[in-house]
Amino acid sequence: GVTQSPTHLIKTRGQQVTLRCSSQSGHNTVSWYQQALGQGPQFIFQYYREEENGRGNFPPRFSGLQFPNDSSELNVNALELDDSALYLCASSLMSSNYGYTFGSGTRLTVV
Amino acid sequence: QKEVEQDPGPLSVPEGAIVSLNCTYSNSAFQYFMWYRQYSRKGPELLMYTYSSGNKEDGRFTAQVDKSSKYISLFIRDSQPSDSATYLCAMKTAAGNKLTFGGGTRVLVKP
């Protein structure tokens, strides 16, 4: 499946954070979503073959990396209080319209 | 106005009852429709998926899509306490690379 680390973390406003994800074996695409409390996930961006392949309505301080070994990162600079959310990683095959496998997420709290 | 609307609930039903969930959407380009279940502190888990209009049944679950009304439904028969979770609808266009989620409906099945 998809594993994410860490499970929880607390950061101070203005700091930077890196979240990590290990994709399901065989999947070539990774997407990141932000889920605020009581809301549905919102698309941040997708990576395919280590290149960004689409971005949602998030500012450039949200950035990512995809590595050849099925791992990926989400980096957020200059943290704001509103960045507090559950961050979900989903892996899939580029050719699939349904086969998104989600991790359990990283709960980020910005104080 | 959000692209996908979903009643947040909570929806409380007795064990054994039918759970009826629905979403409305505004983007007529959506062609792939999914329902996810999300337990507390977990990532979304794919329950059902359908393409375009029609019905699909899988065990206790039935998914319906009415593209003319831009309305999708999920029915859960013989509901169990273990069905207590948040249910998210998600949609995707044919050319798109992201899932667009509803806000989720919290369901509580009481023994």
Side-chain angles (χ1 to χ4, degrees):
Chain A
V2 175
T3 56
Q4 292 186 241
S5 63
T7 305
H8 300 87
L9 75 167
I10 300 174
K11 289 288 188 177
T12 302
R13 188 172 52 184
Q15 285 188 317
Q16 178 267 345
V17 69
T18 297
L19 311 182
R20 294 179 172 82
C21 172
S22 178
S23 298
Q24 181 167 316
S25 179
H27 283 180
N28 57 14
T29 302
V30 64
S31 303
W32 287 88
Y33 289 80
Q34 180 195 66
Q35 186 176 23
L37 196 62
Q39 298 184 25
Q42 297 291 315
F43 176 73
I44 302 175
F45 44 54
Q46 183 186 81
Y47 276 79
Y48 171 63
R49 291 185 176 176
E50 302 164 43
E51 297 283 338
E52 186 177 295
N53 184 49
R55 169 180 283 264
N57 190 25
F58 282 82
R61 59 188 185 85
F62 286 78
S63 63
L65 288 171
Q66 184 187 25
F67 303 102
N69 63 351
D70 294 337
S71 66
S72 60
E73 291 180 355
L74 165 65
N75 298 288
V76 187
N77 293 322
L79 284 167
E80 300 177 358
L81 296 179
D82 285 347
D83 295 334
S84 296
L86 180 68
Y87 288 85
L88 296 163
C89 168
S91 71
S92 62
L93 287 172
M94 177 54 75
S95 58
S96 174
N97 289 301
Y98 305 110
Y100 293 77
T101 303
F102 283 83
S104 291
T106 294
R107 172 73 61 187
L108 172 65
T109 301
V110 182
V111 297
Chain B
Q1 186 181 1
K2 294 181 180 179
E3 273 191 293
V4 181
E5 298 279 359
Q6 187 174 5
D7 190 324
L11 179 62
S12 182
V13 300
E15 182 176 356
I18 295 175
V19 176
S20 175
L21 303 166
N22 57 74
C23 289
T24 58
Y25 62 95
S26 58
N27 187 351
S28 58
F30 287 137
Q31 292 195 36
Y32 299 93
F33 303 92
M34 289 143 272
W35 286 95
Y36 284 83
R37 178 176 62 195
Q38 186 174 27
Y39 291 114
S40 180
R41 297 184 175 84
K42 296 292 186 182
E45 171 194 12
L46 182 64
L47 279 178
M48 297 282 288
Y49 59 89
T50 53
Y51 169 70
S52 196
S53 287
N55 295 355
K56 184 175 181 179
E57 188 173 318
D58 184 4
R60 297 185 297 115
F61 299 92
T62 299
Q64 292 182 350
V65 175
D66 182 348
K67 289 194 71 179
S68 62
S69 300
K70 297 189 179 69
Y71 186 91
I72 69 170
S73 302
L74 177 71
F75 300 96
I76 307 173
R77 291 181 298 280
D78 188 25
S79 58
Q80 304 296 310
S82 58
D83 294 325
S84 297
T86 295
Y87 290 80
L88 297 156
C89 63
M91 308 178 187
K92 183 181 176 299
T93 64
N97 57 3
K98 68 173 184 178
L99 300 179
T100 301
F101 285 86
T105 299
R106 192 158 65 92
V107 172
L108 178 61
V109 181
K110 295 183 176 180

